[in-house]
Amino acid sequence: MTDAAHRLLWTIVALLLVVGGTAALVVSFGTLPGGDPGAVLLGAGLLDAWRLAAPWSTLAAAVAGVLTALAGHRLLDRELRRPGRALRGMLSHPGIRPGRTRLATEVLVHALERDLTGDPGVRGARVALTGAPPRPDVWIRVDLAADARADDVRKHVDAAVRRFATTAGCTPAHLDVTARIEPGRP
């Protein structure tokens, strides 16, 4: 799922929660036109059924709350953690003749980081490779100087990724670039 899809998902979840919370507050304060603040929110039949199943209904509500909290925790955990499944070991490509070309992943990562920091506007770079070896996902974070021109850095990063793809013999399936600007005079 892309970053835009994640933002859309979280925006929809947030809006649903805000609308539900607002509706509950409006009903509880009795500010709806024609509403009675002393009226029962749930129907009499539902309320009787709840009271009839007294200890089990409370337990069921508590279990549902705990399961919802665990599902929310898992979703948040998956959203907030760094890219997982880091590529380890060797990147292997079959050759035309018998044999294989093997490249150490750490060497590729350090080479791309070194290439990215070759631009004077880039103060530092971090790279992570994840996914399957023939088409890995490439995650890049560049730290930029305050006076770096965005277009120049974008061109430099694009050229570095193209050189990486040519050198490694694999095209990134997904490329995620995050740029951070160091504080200072713009």
Side-chain angles (χ1 to χ4, degrees):
M1 188 178 273
T2 64
D3 287 340
H6 283 243
R7 284 191 296 271
L8 179 64
L9 171 70
W10 281 107
T11 301
I12 290 170
V13 167
L15 288 175
L16 288 174
L17 289 173
V18 167
V19 167
T22 303
L25 277 175
V26 166
V27 169
S28 72
F29 287 136
T31 56
L32 284 177
D36 180 17
V40 178
L41 207 58
L42 302 175
L46 187 59
L47 207 53
D48 288 340
W50 178 269
R51 288 182 182 143
L52 186 63
W56 298 109
S57 58
T58 306
L59 182 63
V63 167
V66 167
L67 290 177
T68 303
L70 288 175
H73 179 268
R74 182 169 182 228
L75 182 62
L76 275 174
D77 183 47
R78 294 187 75 164
E79 290 294 323
L80 296 177
R81 76 178 135 141
R82 296 189 67 202
R85 301 176 294 122
L87 208 54
R88 297 275 183 236
M90 301 290 201
L91 204 60
S92 180
H93 294 286
I96 297 171
R97 298 192 177 114
R100 291 187 174 281
T101 301
R102 301 186 83 147
L103 302 169
T105 306
E106 293 82 19
V107 173
L108 291 173
V109 166
H110 293 307
L112 183 54
E113 288 173 351
R114 198 170 42 248
D115 192 7
L116 288 167
T117 54
D119 186 90
V122 178
R123 297 284 186 235
R126 299 271 303 155
V127 175
L129 297 177
T130 62
R135 292 190 38 89
D137 296 333
V138 180
W139 305 82
I140 299 173
R141 186 191 77 209
V142 289
D143 298 324
L144 305 177
D147 60 347
R149 292 182 40 92
D151 290 338
D152 295 340
V153 173
R154 183 180 298 124
K155 289 176 188 173
H156 176 70
V157 169
D158 184 47
V161 170
R162 277 190 274 118
R163 285 190 294 272
F164 166 78
T166 302
T167 303
C170 58
T171 306
H174 174 78
L175 175 64
D176 187 273
V177 179
T178 303
R180 298 189 317 177
I181 301 173
E182 69 181 18
R185 218 179 84 223

